[in-house]
């Protein structure tokens, strides 16, 4: 999958660095060992973080900063990573969907980056472009219905928007039948080493829980 960073994103975040992980996978409804990892990390975060201090995580702080630069209120349209960690810190259970969704959520919580997980077979074309949402641009968030993405960073394929740091699109979402996975890591903090570590962590999770060889990843800027 080719990923292009538009000039409008370069203008508000010249330090942006992303990673695209691609892999063949086998999804399952539930994996108990994966959930043990999720619960262990949640317990550690509840000892180390609060709902206020998590905003200081560099990955989350940078994403919030870009939301403001693009004209979006990050407290109203929370980045997914922040929303997930807040839920953990509040003692609420994370939604259990399936192994791929749960795995991507764990990777996002572990590093604080908002991460998009997609069924690659549902993309239109072979190129994704990262831009900024337009006024009245139609976008159906997963489980959210139509949402206003004006001012949100958004990935588009040949048909339209597929992913934002707040919510991915219904059209390209993963499900139990997903066999070809694409994961996009959004490093608005510009920390390429950390983004690479996040990509390699996802590969290790795929090898453990999705009958995968981990696939490959590439960096884009």
């Amino acid at each position: 999958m080719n990923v292009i960073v538009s000039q409008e994103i370069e203008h508000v975040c010249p330090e942006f660095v992303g990673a695209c992980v691609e892999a063949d996978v086998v999804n399952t409804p539930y994996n108990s060992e994966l959930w043990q990892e999720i619960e262990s990390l949640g317990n550690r975060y509840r000892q180390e973080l609060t709902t206020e201090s998590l905003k200081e995580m560099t990955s989350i702080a940078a994403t919030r900063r870009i939301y403001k630069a693009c004209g979006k209120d990050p407290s109203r349209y929370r980045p997914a990573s922040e929303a997930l960690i807040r839920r953990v810190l509040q003692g609420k259970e994370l939604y259990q969907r399936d192994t791929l969704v749960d795995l991507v959520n764990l990777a996002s919580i572990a590093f604080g980056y908002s991460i998009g997980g997609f069924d690659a077979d549902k993309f239109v074309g072979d190129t994704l472009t990262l831009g900024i949402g337009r006024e009245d641009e139609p976008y159906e968030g997963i489980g959210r219905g139509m949402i206003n993405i004006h001012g949100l960073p958004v990935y588009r394929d040949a048909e339209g928007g597929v992913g934002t740091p707040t919510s991915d699109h219904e059209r390209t979402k993963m499900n139990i039948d997903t066999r070809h996975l694409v994961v996009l890591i959004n490093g608005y903090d510009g920390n390429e080493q950390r983004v690479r570590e996040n990509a390699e962590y996802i590969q290790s999770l795929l090898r453990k829980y999705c009958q995968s060889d981990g696939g490959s990843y590439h960096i884009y800027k």
Side-chain angles (χ1 to χ4, degrees):
M1 180 60 60
N2 303 310
V3 187
I4 298 170
V5 179
S6 70
Q7 289 186 347
E8 56 187 356
I9 291 292
E10 291 178 355
H11 177 71
V12 296
C13 189
E15 66 273 22
F16 174 85
V17 57
C20 176
V21 181
E22 299 185 60
D24 293 332
V25 296
V26 175
N27 200 4
T28 54
Y30 177 80
N31 187 292
S32 60
E33 292 182 9
L34 172 61
W35 272 91
Q36 288 175 11
E37 284 202 51
I38 293 171
E39 289 164 4
S40 175
L41 181 59
N43 290 334
R44 178 163 67 85
Y45 273 9
R46 280 188 286 273
Q47 295 176 348
E48 298 175 352
L49 293 172
T50 68
T51 53
E52 285 303 310
S53 67
L54 81 89
K55 297 177 184 177
E56 299 169 9
M57 291 178 65
T58 56
S59 47
I60 289 175
T63 307
R64 290 176 63 88
R65 198 162 55 242
I66 293 308
Y67 270 40
K68 292 177 181 177
C70 293
K72 213 67 169 175
D73 180 356
S75 294
R76 183 178 179 190
Y77 295 85
R78 290 191 194 280
S81 55
E82 181 183 349
L84 286 167
I85 298 174
R86 279 178 62 88
R87 190 170 182 86
V88 167
L89 296 178
Q90 290 168 346
K92 299 176 181 177
E93 291 187 0
L94 294 180
Y95 300 109
Q96 191 277 316
R97 301 299 188 195
D98 56 51
T99 298
L100 281 179
V101 173
D102 301 340
L103 181 154
V104 169
N105 284 343
L106 171 59
S108 181
I109 292 168
F111 285 77
Y113 291 119
S114 287
I115 298 175
F118 307 91
D119 187 322
D121 291 335
K122 296 177 181 178
F123 287 136
V124 178
D126 62 358
T127 300
L128 299 173
T129 302
L130 177 59
I132 298 175
R134 308 181 186 103
E135 187 76 45
D136 297 325
E137 182 172 2
Y139 190 93
E140 185 179 1
I142 297 175
R144 290 170 170 258
M146 301 304 292
I147 63 174
N148 175 15
I149 65 166
H150 180 225
L152 280 180
V154 58
Y155 288 95
R156 301 182 181 94
D157 65 5
E159 185 171 315
V162 297
T164 76
T166 290
S167 175
D168 293 331
H169 198 287
E170 282 279 356
R171 174 168 62 88
T172 50
K173 72 179 180 182
M174 304 176 292
N175 59 33
I176 199 65
D177 297 318
T178 295
R179 293 293 177 266
H180 302 113
L181 175 71
V182 161
V183 181
L184 302 176
I185 303 167
N186 296 286
Y188 288 99
D189 59 356
N191 189 334
E192 182 172 337
Q193 179 179 343
R194 188 79 170 150
V195 169
R196 286 185 180 276
E197 289 171 357
N198 201 168
E200 290 161 6
Y201 177 61
I202 290 169
Q203 289 182 297
S204 71
L205 293 176
L206 292 174
R207 285 190 285 268
K208 282 198 285 186
Y209 301 122
C210 296
Q211 301 179 42
S212 173
D213 65 4
S216 62
Y217 77 89
H218 70 271
I219 295 292
Y220 55 94
K221 303 178 182 180

